[in-house]
C-alpha cells in the first residue's frame, strides 16, 4: 500500500508544482538557517575526548593578588608561573601531567628534492606525557622519553602537514629540522586528526589550526626561548623585565598545565599534592589568597573559555525560531493545497475510501515534501558553511564542516518538522464529507 500512496502523493505534487516549490523552499531556508548555527555550536562545544571526561583535568593554582580575584566571578588563573610548573613536574614525577607553552618561530629544512623551505611554525613546548594525555596518534615514530625531558633534548615531533611539506609524506624520523636557529632531530610524526576544540588552549586559540610541531618544555627553558609577541603573560605586581631569567623567577603566569588520573582516588591524591605544595609556598611568602587550587573538568574548562558564547547561542535560537515561522508558512500552504483537493477526496470517499487511507495518502505527501525540503536545506547549509569559512578565516575549518551525524540529523529534522506541520492539514482533508462536497457539485 505504501507504494500506492507514494504514487498518489507524487501525482498530487506534480499537479501543483508552484505550491510544492514554495513549501519546499520555505522549509529548506528554515532548515539551512537552523542547521548552520546548530553545526557551529555543536562542533564548537563537543568534547573531543569524551572517554576522558572524568579523568583529564586542567590544573589551576590561585597565585593572584589578595585585593581581588583574577577574573570575576571568582575564577582562578588558567596559567601557572614557571616556578610552579617546574616544581609540579619535579615533585610530582609519579603523576601523568604536562606543562604547555606556545612558541612561534621560523622552521626550515631541505626537502627531498633539495629545495630549502622556511615558514613561521606554530609549536607547543610540552612534556613527554602530553601525547598520552590528549591521545595524540602517531603516523611514524613516537614521543620522546622522560629521560629526554630531563636532558633537555633537541627532539621534535612534527605534524603530518609539516611532514608532507618538507618530506612529501615519507617517514622522516631521524631527519633534522632547524627551528629558531637550533637543530632538532625528528622523533615522531603525528597523524592528522579532528580534534576541536583544542583542550590545551584558551579562548579563540581553541579553534586555531593544529600545531606544526612539539618539542620538550625543558628544551625551551634551556634555550632561553619565550614567545614575547603572542604568548599570554599575566603578571600581578612584578612584571617581567627584559631578561629571560627574570621572567622565570617572576610571578608572571604563562604556562597551561593538564593532568590525567586513573580514578577518583588518584585525583584526590593529586589535589592533596597541589594543596600541600601551595601551603609550603605560602610559608615562603607566595600565594597570598586563601587556598583555592582547582582540578577543572573539561566541561567546566569549556565554560571558562566561552566555547559557545552567548551571541552564538542567541543566534542559534533565533534561527530555530525562524524555522518555526517557516513551518507556520508551510502549514498555511499545505492547508491551501489540501483544501483544493476536497472534491477529489469526496469522490474517493464516495467510492469507498476510508478516512484512514486518505490520511495516509496526504501524510506520505507531507513526508515527500519534507524530504525534498531537507535535501535542499542541507545543500544550502553546506553552501552557508563554506561561505562562513571564507569570512571567519581565523577559525579552523573543522568547526564549519558537516559530518554524517549532522547531515542525517538535518534530514530527520526536516522530515519531522514537515510531518508535524502537515498533521493539521492532513486531518482536516481526511475528514472531508463526501455528501456535502458532492451535494455542492
Amino acid at each position: 500500500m505504501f507504494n500506492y500512496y507514494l504514487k498518489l502523493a507524487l501525482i498530487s505534487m506534480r499537479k501543483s508544482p508552484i505550491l510544492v516549490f514554495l513549501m519546499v523552499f520555505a522549509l529548506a531556508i528554515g532548515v539551512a538557517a537552523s542547521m548552520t548555527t546548530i553545526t557551529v555550536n555543536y562542533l564548537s562545544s563537543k568534547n573531543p575526548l569524551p572517554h576522558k571526561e572524568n579523568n583529564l583535568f586542567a590544573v589551576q593554582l590561585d597565585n593572584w593578588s589578595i585585593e581581588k580575584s583574577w577574573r570575576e566571578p571568582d575564577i582562578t588563573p588558567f596559567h601557572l608561573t614557571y616556578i610552579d610548573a617546574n616544581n609540579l613536574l619535579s615533585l610530582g614525577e609519579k603523576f601523568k601531567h604536562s606543562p604547555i607553552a606556545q612558541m612561534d618561530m621560523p622552521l626550515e629544512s631541505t626537502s627531498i628534492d633539495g629545495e630549502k623551505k622556511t615558514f613561521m611554525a606554530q609549536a607547543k613546548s610540552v612534556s613527554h606525557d602530553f601525547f598520552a594525555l590528549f591521545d595524540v596518534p602517531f603516523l611514524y615514530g613516537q614521543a620522546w622519553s622522560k629521560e629526554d625531558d630531563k636532558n633537555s633534548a633537541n627532539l621534535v615531533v612534527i605534524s603530518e602537514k609539516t611532514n608532507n611539506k618538507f618530506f612529501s609524506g615519507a617517514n622522516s624520523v631521524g631527519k633534522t629540522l632547524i627551528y629558531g636557529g637550533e637543530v632538532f632531530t625528528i622523533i615522531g610524526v603525528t597523524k592528522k586528526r579532528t580534534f576541536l576544540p583544542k583542550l590545551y588552549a584558551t579562548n579563540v586559540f581553541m579553534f586555531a589550526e593544529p600545531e606544526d610541531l612539539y618539542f620538550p618544555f625543558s628544551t625551551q627553558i634551556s634555550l632561553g626561548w619565550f614567545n614575547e609577541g603572542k604568548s599570554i603573560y599575566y603578571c600581578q605586581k612584578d612584571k617581567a623585565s627584559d631578561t629571560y631569567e627574570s621572567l622565570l623567577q617572576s610571578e608572571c603566569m604563562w604556562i597551561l598545565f593538564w593532568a590525567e588520573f586513573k580514578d577518583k582516588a588518584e585525583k584526590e591524591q593529586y589535589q592533596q599534592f597541589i594543596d600541600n605544595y601551595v601551603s609550603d609556598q605560602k610559608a615562603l611568602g607566595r600565594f597570598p589568597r586563601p587556598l583555592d587550587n582547582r582540578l577543572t573538568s573539561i566541561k567546566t574548562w569549556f565554560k571558562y573559555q566561552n566555547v559557545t558564547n552567548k551571541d552564538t547561542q542567541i543566534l542559534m535560537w533565533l534561527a530555530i525560531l525562524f524555522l518555526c515561522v517557516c513551518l507556520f508558512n508551510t502549514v498555511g500552504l499545505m492547508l491551501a493545497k489540501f483544501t483544493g483537493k476536497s472534491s477529489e477526496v469526496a469522490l474517493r470517499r464516495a467510492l469507498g475510501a476510508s478516512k484512514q487511507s486518505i490520511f495516509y495518502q496526504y501524510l506520505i505527501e507531507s513526508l515527500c515534501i519534507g524530504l525534498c525540503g531537507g535535501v535542499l536545506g542541507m545543500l544550502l547549509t553546506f553552501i552557508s558553511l563554506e561561505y562562513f569559512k571564507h569570512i571567519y578565516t581565523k577559525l579552523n575549518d573543522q568547526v564549519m564542516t558537516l559530518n554524517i551525524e549532522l547531515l542525517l540529523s538535518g534530514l530527520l529534522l526536516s522530515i519531522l518538522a514537515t510531518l508535524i506541520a502537515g498533521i493539521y492539514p492532513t486531518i482536516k482533508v481526511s475528514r472531508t464529507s463526501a455528501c456535502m462536497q458532492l451535494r455542492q457539485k
Side-chain angles (χ1 to χ4, degrees):
M1 288 298 291
F2 176 80
N3 291 337
Y4 172 69
Y5 291 140
L6 179 61
K7 183 178 179 181
L8 290 179
L10 295 176
I11 292 173
S12 175
M13 290 170 66
R14 283 199 297 267
K15 288 181 178 179
S16 51
I18 295 178
L19 270 179
V20 171
F21 171 77
L22 290 175
M23 285 187 284
V24 169
F25 186 72
L27 185 62
I29 291 294
V31 168
S34 56
M35 284 306 300
T36 298
T37 54
I38 289 172
T39 297
V40 175
N41 274 272
Y42 173 73
L43 294 180
S44 296
S45 59
K46 184 180 180 182
N47 181 2
L49 298 173
H51 58 289
K52 291 192 174 185
E53 178 67 43
N54 300 317
N55 304 95
L56 190 61
F57 296 85
V59 180
Q60 295 178 260
L61 308 181
D62 194 0
N63 184 21
W64 198 243
S65 61
I66 192 66
E67 289 80 12
K68 62 178 182 178
S69 300
W70 174 71
R71 185 178 294 180
E72 297 295 343
D74 196 29
I75 297 179
T76 302
F78 301 144
H79 301 75
L80 307 186
T81 66
Y82 168 73
I83 297 172
D84 298 323
N86 187 53
N87 287 340
L88 292 185
L89 279 176
S90 58
L91 297 174
E93 287 192 76
K94 65 178 182 178
F95 297 107
K96 186 188 292 186
H97 51 196
S98 175
I100 305 166
Q102 176 73 29
M103 289 299 303
D104 297 275
M105 292 196 294
L107 175 66
E108 57 184 276
S109 180
T110 302
S111 61
I112 57 176
D113 57 3
E115 180 185 358
K116 186 176 181 179
K117 297 183 177 180
T118 304
F119 73 100
M120 188 63 71
Q122 295 182 356
K124 284 285 192 291
S125 64
V126 299
S127 76
H128 71 284
D129 281 333
F130 171 85
F131 303 96
L133 291 179
F134 298 100
D135 288 354
V136 180
F138 279 82
L139 182 64
Y140 304 116
Q142 58 189 2
W144 57 83
S145 66
K146 182 181 292 188
E147 289 302 313
D148 292 326
D149 272 329
K150 292 180 179 179
N151 296 330
S152 302
N154 277 25
L155 297 174
V156 66
V157 171
I158 64 175
S159 68
E160 185 175 353
K161 179 181 177 181
T162 303
N163 190 63
N164 291 337
K165 184 175 293 186
F166 285 124
F167 305 104
S168 300
N171 188 346
S172 58
V173 173
K175 298 184 182 296
T176 59
L177 292 170
I178 299 175
Y179 185 62
E182 292 286 330
V183 177
F184 284 80
T185 301
I186 299 171
I187 192 171
V189 179
T190 63
K191 286 183 182 179
K192 183 178 180 180
R193 61 175 179 158
T194 301
F195 189 83
L196 285 176
K198 291 191 295 187
L199 302 177
Y200 50 88
T202 57
N203 302 320
V204 71
F205 299 107
M206 298 182 77
F207 301 100
E209 289 292 330
E211 293 76 28
D212 299 301
L213 56 94
Y214 308 88
F215 64 96
F217 176 75
S218 57
T219 303
Q220 175 187 349
I221 302 304
S222 67
L223 292 173
W225 286 351
F226 70 103
N227 207 27
E228 185 175 10
K230 291 188 178 180
S231 282
I232 301 174
Y233 296 93
Y234 294 102
C235 306
Q236 45 179 307
K237 292 181 179 179
D238 54 336
K239 293 193 175 183
S241 65
D242 295 333
T243 65
Y244 189 63
E245 188 61 31
S246 66
L247 171 66
L248 299 186
Q249 298 305 317
S250 73
E251 296 295 338
C252 291
M253 298 171 287
W254 51 283
I255 302 164
L256 293 175
F257 209 92
W258 281 77
E260 182 181 352
F261 314 109
K262 291 180 294 186
D263 49 36
K264 185 177 180 180
E266 188 177 22
K267 178 190 172 186
E268 292 174 351
Q269 187 180 3
Y270 194 89
Q271 182 71 58
Q272 189 63 50
F273 162 65
I274 59 176
D275 286 346
N276 291 340
Y277 166 75
V278 170
S279 296
D280 292 340
Q281 292 297 306
K282 281 179 174 290
L284 300 176
R286 302 182 66 228
F287 290 90
R289 292 177 60 79
L291 199 67
D292 185 20
N293 307 309
R294 304 180 185 182
L295 297 176
T296 303
S297 67
I298 296 173
K299 183 177 180 179
T300 305
W301 184 255
F302 281 178
K303 181 180 178 181
Y304 286 166
Q305 306 308 325
N306 294 318
V307 169
T308 52
N309 58 53
K310 290 183 179 179
D311 291 342
T312 307
Q313 291 180 337
I314 290 173
L315 185 62
M316 181 182 70
W317 287 112
L318 287 175
I320 292 175
L321 287 175
F322 179 68
L323 173 61
C324 294
V325 172
C326 292
L327 287 179
F328 279 120
N329 289 332
T330 304
V331 170
L333 292 171
M334 278 190 179
L335 193 58
K337 183 179 186 302
F338 291 173
T339 302
K341 298 287 184 179
S342 297
S343 299
E344 179 182 326
V345 172
L347 181 59
R348 290 193 58 205
R349 289 293 311 281
L351 293 174
S354 65
K355 289 183 179 180
Q356 187 178 24
S357 63
I358 299 297
F359 178 83
Y360 286 151
Q361 175 191 336
Y362 286 96
L363 190 66
I364 290 175
E365 184 172 345
S366 300
L367 178 66
C368 292
I369 292 171
L371 183 60
C372 293
V375 171
L376 180 58
M378 296 314 295
L379 177 61
L380 293 176
T381 302
F382 176 78
I383 294 172
S384 299
L385 292 173
E386 288 297 316
Y387 175 70
F388 286 136
K389 285 180 185 179
H390 292 88
I391 296 178
Y392 301 103
T393 54
K394 291 184 179 180
L395 293 181
N396 195 300
D397 287 353
Q398 296 173 20
V399 182
M400 301 178 191
T401 302
L402 277 175
N403 55 27
I404 296 297
E405 181 182 359
L406 288 168
L407 183 62
L408 294 177
S409 298
L411 290 174
L412 182 61
L413 172 66
S414 176
I415 292 171
L416 288 177
T418 312
L419 288 177
I420 293 171
I423 287 293
Y424 174 68
T426 302
I427 292 176
K428 187 173 178 62
V429 74
S430 65
R431 289 179 176 177
T432 300
S433 171
C435 296
M436 290 297 297
Q437 289 292 329
L438 292 177
R439 187 180 301 167
Q440 293 175 8
K441 294 295 181 181

